[in-house]
Amino acid sequence: MPSEFARLTILVVDDDPTMRSVITSALRAAGCNQVRQASNGEQALNIVRQSQIDLITCDCQMAPVDGLTFVKRLRELPEGASKPVVMLTANNRPEDAWAGRELKVSAWLVKPITPQAVIKRVAGVLGLNVGTTAMPEDVLTELADAYEKRLPNEIQTLESIAARLPARPEHFNLTIQDLVKRLHVVKGQAGTLGYALLGSVAGEVHDVLQEAERILDEDQGFRPDLIRLVESGFKVMRLIVDRNVRGSAGAVGAKVLADIAAFARPLHARIVAAAEAAEAAERQRRSHHADVLLATEQNRLIVERRIRLTQAELAEKDR
């Protein structure tokens, strides 16, 4: 690897310690010895203020402050106004891309990522030669083995949260939000660490629930289908973990994923349509409200003008 990587200081910002480890290991394998880490946006901003950083990698969906909000605050700093940023995301939504363009995000990587993709994208942004450096296999194996040990607990936590959906309908929206956050982590980690089928199933469920967050306050008609999707998706995820299925599982995995997608994707499309219709209705309502306010203001001005004219006419008669 060219010596340019050795002279870089790169900041890795992610609320998921596993993903920070993957990205940090990839960068160090590429020859970057100065890798700083931050688990949230505030910590990252402090590092930027105090250190010379050449490039930042950042998770778009991190909490409590998401990646785009972090970049917005970064651009307000003299030290961060033009800092190259590579954004990692579990989604591929146009609205995020447009927001990133406005904030001058240098490049995007859609999860699940590979260490080689991280190196290539960072090198591309900085104009460096990627070379032929490969990610050390023992690093990924160690991370994957550690992840395998945690998986049963991860799935059990998801199942416990999902059980609240029918049992605690008054907390339905909060439960969906909690599931979205946890599925985001599983989606990224599983795909990156060799559990492609698990990551894909988690992604199908995650993407529907994330879209559903837009309409849950206005439309409760999707609740039964959302519960069904969560229950069926988590059963598949439990089966994958219990049988320790790594990779995509070939034709069987493709069939499993197709079965989930056959229900998830039409549901996703229906939710998107409902959300867009609700947003259009809200825009129309606001437009009508603005028209009413404008008409009211115009009428007020007309009345005031008539009053002034009448007063002037009366004053003229008195003279």
Side-chain angles (χ1 to χ4, degrees):
M1 177 63 61
S3 60
E4 294 104 312
F5 262 86
R7 292 187 282 107
L8 297 177
T9 300
I10 296 178
L11 173 59
V12 178
V13 189
D14 202 308
D15 57 350
D16 179 2
T18 299
M19 295 308 298
R20 290 201 306 273
S21 295
V22 171
I23 297 168
T24 298
S25 298
L27 293 170
R28 286 177 177 162
C32 183
N33 299 317
Q34 300 297 320
V35 182
R36 304 290 301 274
Q37 296 187 34
S39 60
N40 58 68
E42 194 60 47
Q43 185 181 7
L45 291 172
N46 288 334
I47 292 174
V48 171
R49 292 186 187 101
Q50 300 168 10
S51 309
Q52 175 57 46
I53 302 297
D54 297 293
L55 180 141
I56 299 170
T57 71
C58 177
D59 178 37
C60 190
Q61 286 84 31
M62 65 181 178
V65 176
D66 64 83
L68 290 172
T69 301
F70 159 71
V71 177
K72 182 178 180 181
R73 294 181 61 189
L74 174 72
R75 296 303 184 221
E76 295 170 354
L77 298 178
E79 307 89 342
S82 59
K83 195 73 65 182
V85 176
V86 175
M87 189 74 74
L88 281 68
T89 180
N91 306 305
N92 196 12
R93 300 188 302 182
E95 56 265 37
D96 288 345
W98 280 107
R101 184 177 301 177
E102 292 292 320
L103 294 170
K104 299 181 181 178
V105 171
S106 306
W108 290 80
L109 271 175
V110 179
K111 296 179 182 179
I113 62 171
T114 64
Q116 289 78 8
V118 173
I119 295 171
K120 184 175 180 181
R121 195 58 53 90
V122 169
V125 168
L126 296 176
L128 304 179
N129 181 16
V130 177
T132 58
T133 297
M135 180 73 175
E137 288 297 327
D138 57 340
V139 174
L140 278 182
T141 300
E142 182 179 341
L143 290 170
D145 290 344
Y147 183 61
E148 180 182 324
K149 294 176 182 178
R150 297 201 317 268
L151 269 177
N153 290 335
E154 294 276 1
I155 301 303
Q156 185 175 1
T157 299
L158 283 169
E159 291 170 334
S160 298
I161 296 171
R164 301 178 203 155
L165 291 174
R168 303 288 298 275
E170 69 276 15
H171 295 150
F172 193 91
N173 295 13
L174 292 176
T175 303
I176 291 293
Q177 292 169 8
D178 200 356
L179 288 174
V180 168
K181 293 176 183 176
R182 292 181 178 273
L183 283 167
H184 161 68
V185 174
V186 173
K187 178 181 178 180
Q189 289 185 350
T192 298
L193 296 176
Y195 288 82
L197 180 58
L198 178 64
S200 296
V201 174
E204 291 286 351
V205 180
H206 168 273
D207 292 352
V208 175
L209 298 189
Q210 184 179 59
E211 200 65 45
E213 287 184 291
R214 297 169 59 188
I215 60 168
L216 287 175
D217 290 331
E218 292 82 18
D219 192 337
Q220 299 183 5
F222 288 101
R223 287 189 176 190
D225 284 340
L226 291 172
I227 292 174
R228 179 185 166 192
L229 174 65
V230 167
E231 290 176 345
S232 59
F234 286 7
K235 283 180 182 177
V236 172
M237 292 169 65
R238 165 60 68 184
L239 189 62
I240 293 171
V241 170
D242 287 347
R243 296 189 178 182
N244 192 27
V245 178
R246 293 199 184 189
S248 61
V252 174
K255 175 65 167 59
V256 168
L257 189 58
D259 289 343
I260 294 290
F263 180 68
R265 295 184 185 181
L267 177 58
H268 184 274
R270 286 166 46 212
I271 291 172
V272 169
E276 290 177 350
E279 289 169 0
E282 177 62 16
R283 287 194 298 270
Q284 185 176 11
R285 185 194 68 78
R286 290 180 180 179
S287 177
H288 175 70
H289 182 63
D291 290 342
V292 170
L293 289 178
L294 178 60
T296 301
E297 178 65 12
Q298 289 175 337
N299 289 336
R300 184 185 67 80
L301 293 173
I302 291 172
V303 170
E304 287 181 354
R305 184 169 179 273
R306 287 175 177 171
I307 291 173
R308 287 196 299 271
L309 289 173
T310 301
Q311 290 174 338
E313 290 173 356
L314 292 173
E316 183 67 25
K317 287 180 180 180
D318 290 341
R319 285 199 295 270

